[in-house]
Amino acid sequence: MTMSTAPRIDETSIAEALGAPAPDASRVRGILARAQELEGLDAAAVADLGRVEDPDLLEEIFTAARTVKETIYGKRLVLFTPLYVSNLCANDCAYCAFRSSNRGVVRKALTQREIAEETAALVAEGHKRVLLVAGEAYPRHDFGYVLDAIDTIYGVRGPGGEIRRVNVNVAPLETDQFRQLKERGIGTYQIFQETYHRDTYHAVHRAGRKMDFDWRLGAMDRAFAAGVDDVGVGVLFGLADWRFELLALLQHVAHLERRFGVGPHTISVPRLEPAEGSPLAAHPPHPVGDRDFRRIVAILRLAVPYTGIIMSTRESAAIRRETFALGVSQISAGSRTSPGAYAHPEAHAAEQFSLGDHRPLDEVVRDVAALGFIPSFCTGCYRLGRTGADFMDLAKPGEIKRHCDPNGLSSFLEYLLDHASPETLKEGLERIGAVLAELEGEPRRRAEAMLDAVHSGRRDVFC
Ligand code: SAM
Ligand code: SF4
């Protein structure tokens, strides 16, 4: 059999899976028992879980997802923030305030000096991980702008430390451009297909290179071919039926696993939010309610247990609180979606969409800790070369205890000592004590030694 090289979404098989009769309780329980073996789920099982309406069975899905999340990720939640460098864009995505036909908005591409100022503001707040974001049009049409921006961000040293991992969310690139990203030392390359439903895709992408569905769908193949092995995929929920999107997304994941031996590092689950000048964003054609949103996270957690799930500040604090435990492993915090807004909150370049969670980083950290999680700023894996398939091996539960728990704790303590308000410091130290008490043996000894090192003034302690 020849191996296909380009991803292809098989809409017919998705329609068949979604057309099957609703599963009975014993089938659902069988699926959940299998999922708790941490081996993932096939398309038929995912379609079945998507059709469950009985509230008690739905609760069983949530409970199973919580168990898988706790087994694989423990108590950690990794924190990052987006850094929007430019809102110039040649595309016309019907849902986005940056789209080319949205003429009334203020456009801005930050200079490298301004990018350094934004970075310094984030470093001062305590961030260690940023996601560089841009529209698809660079000053002087030069992709070198993005490469320079990465260098600029990594180059900033402040009293509060430095950015240790730059992830990138920019439009799909040529293989050679991916190579250049890799050389710049990026963490994850991330891009969302927006919708895997081809007709819907064409209806909402009305100008520019983004009109080409297959060019976007093939981006991760080009990234892998260029050696970028941590990639992040996602769906913009609200454009098409979420059940269709889940099955199509999992086809994309399966394609990458078949072809490259490893799937995506992360999956993002943005929901459409209101955006200036976009009637479509205000009235999504397939709105996803809060219950279904939680179900999407839970089903993904069961279907691809070792893949990170990212939830952004598009969601309100309340929804975020209810959803973390179902499977989320990374969250953004203290975000702004207009270029320049960290260093100059009073400036008013257009923001991409409205946020649901406006709290500053310190408040999010305190809240997350009070909920029982360890807010982690760890960048250990990627800096020790544990990416792609190596990372997936490490994501196995035993390894988490050896590396990720101590790294999460030491990076959290560093944040608390250098940046936290007195209330957050108090809450955080209590949380560290409680989590440490649950560790045993070598992970506990290692965590204690790393925490001692941070207390005595060392920084960036990881294993
Ligand atoms: N411009 C590049 C692109 O589209 O590929 C980079 C990413 S874009 C700045 C970041 C993401 O924001 C998009 O992929 C899209 O999913 C999301 N987005 C756009 N408009 C949105 C809205 N109204 N609500 C929520 N997310 C939105
Ligand atoms: Fe441009 Fe990205 Fe917004 Fe589309 S989603 S208009 S490509 S910034």
Side-chain angles (χ1 to χ4, degrees):
M1 198 176 82
T2 54
M3 189 169 66
S4 108
T5 50
R8 197 178 72 83
I9 302 304
D10 178 357
E11 295 194 4
T12 310
S13 76
I14 295 177
E16 276 165 18
L18 292 178
D24 60 20
S26 74
R27 166 139 174 94
V28 173
R29 292 192 180 117
I31 292 170
L32 297 180
R34 277 207 315 282
Q36 287 176 85
E37 307 283 311
L38 311 181
E39 284 177 6
L41 296 176
D42 61 18
V46 168
D48 279 341
L49 295 187
R51 271 195 304 269
V52 169
E53 290 303 333
D54 176 78
D56 294 334
L57 270 185
L58 211 48
E59 221 22 79
E60 290 183 37
I61 295 177
F62 291 149
T63 303
R66 278 189 204 99
T67 308
V68 169
K69 144 97 187 169
E70 173 91 26
T71 310
I72 296 186
Y73 295 88
K75 297 280 187 215
R76 289 164 312 114
L77 261 185
V78 169
L79 273 83
F80 73 97
T81 201
L83 201 176
Y84 279 71
V85 294
S86 161
N87 64 11
L88 312 185
C89 196
N91 295 319
D92 196 19
C93 310
Y95 44 80
C96 178
F98 296 170
R99 69 184 190 281
S100 54
S101 66
N102 205 15
R103 305 239 183 260
V105 297
V106 180
R107 303 280 169 177
K108 174 133 186 89
L110 301 181
T111 62
Q112 298 301 323
R113 214 177 114 230
E114 289 168 327
I115 293 171
E117 268 177 33
E118 286 290 89
T119 308
L122 293 174
V123 165
E125 242 191 296
H127 283 288
K128 299 287 185 278
R129 306 166 61 111
V130 300
L131 173 67
L132 183 160
V133 186
E136 188 168 3
Y138 309 120
R140 295 178 302 286
H141 308 288
D142 180 6
F143 176 66
Y145 171 75
V146 172
L147 300 174
D148 290 348
I150 297 166
D151 289 346
T152 300
I153 297 169
Y154 276 134
V156 171
R157 294 280 173 282
E162 65 285 315
I163 297 299
R164 298 173 185 159
R165 177 172 176 138
V166 179
N167 298 329
V168 172
N169 185 327
V170 299
L173 304 170
E174 312 274 356
T175 309
D176 192 51
Q177 294 174 318
F178 277 122
R179 255 183 226 113
Q180 297 174 57
L181 274 191
K182 169 86 182 166
E183 283 162 18
R184 285 316 201 273
I186 65 154
T188 308
Y189 170 75
Q190 181 189 87
I191 201 77
F192 312 146
Q193 187 62 24
E194 318 296 14
T195 172
Y196 284 93
H197 191 261
R198 197 177 275 270
D199 289 348
T200 305
Y201 186 94
H202 287 134
V204 298
H205 297 111
R206 304 178 298 203
R209 195 166 198 188
K210 194 161 167 182
M211 292 170 81
D212 187 340
F213 179 92
D214 292 309
W215 170 250
R216 197 168 182 89
L217 190 58
M220 298 317 181
D221 291 61
R222 296 192 296 280
F224 270 114
V228 177
D229 57 359
D230 272 358
V231 302
V233 298
V235 166
L236 183 53
F237 285 101
L239 295 174
D241 173 21
W242 65 265
R243 294 174 177 85
F244 175 94
E245 301 285 22
L246 270 192
L247 290 175
L249 172 78
L250 293 172
Q251 286 187 8
H252 191 185
V253 170
H255 162 84
L256 295 174
E257 282 172 350
R258 265 197 314 275
R259 187 160 180 217
F260 300 101
V262 61
H265 185 64
T266 55
I267 295 177
S268 296
V269 290
R271 279 195 284 187
L272 259 182
E273 296 299 330
E276 193 180 339
S278 167
L280 180 90
H283 303 285
H286 291 267
V288 172
D290 293 346
R291 192 181 76 145
D292 283 340
F293 178 69
R294 299 174 71 229
R295 185 163 22 171
I296 288 169
V297 171
I299 295 176
L300 281 174
R301 183 70 300 138
L302 298 171
V304 281
Y306 293 107
T307 304
I309 297 180
I310 301 181
M311 182 167 51
S312 75
T313 46
R314 290 174 181 84
E315 301 300 331
S316 68
I319 295 292
R320 276 155 58 98
R321 284 189 197 108
E322 286 174 8
T323 314
F324 291 150
L326 298 177
V328 173
S329 55
Q330 292 191 30
I331 60 168
S332 50
S335 312
R336 300 272 180 282
T337 67
S338 69
Y342 293 117
H344 301 285
E346 73 294 347
H348 54 279
E351 58 175 20
Q352 196 189 11
F353 47 80
S354 319
L355 297 176
D357 183 349
H358 299 269
R359 296 171 300 168
L361 176 64
D362 183 75
E363 221 178 302
V364 175
V365 166
R366 185 161 70 245
D367 193 32
V368 164
L371 288 168
F373 296 100
I374 284 287
S376 168
F377 296 83
C378 174
T379 53
C381 276
Y382 122 91
R383 288 162 74 215
L384 291 170
R386 295 189 298 244
T387 60
D390 292 346
F391 172 83
M392 286 300 162
D393 289 344
L394 197 86
K396 303 277 153 42
E399 294 299 305
I400 292 280
K401 291 265 168 276
R402 280 197 322 127
H403 291 278
C404 305
D405 282 344
N407 283 342
L409 288 169
S410 73
S411 66
F412 182 31
L413 181 61
E414 186 176 331
Y415 171 83
L416 291 173
L417 299 180
D418 293 350
H419 302 281
S421 63
E423 307 93 281
T424 303
L425 176 64
K426 181 170 175 291
E427 184 73 54
L429 292 177
E430 279 170 21
R431 180 57 44 212
I432 289 178
V435 171
L436 199 56
E438 285 170 17
L439 292 179
E440 292 169 353
E442 196 233 326
R444 167 119 176 220
R445 281 192 295 281
R446 190 182 273 197
E448 282 171 343
M450 288 166 62
L451 290 169
D452 283 349
V454 176
H455 270 300
S456 63
R458 266 187 60 202
R459 290 294 173 263
D460 201 11
V461 180
F462 59 95
C463 60

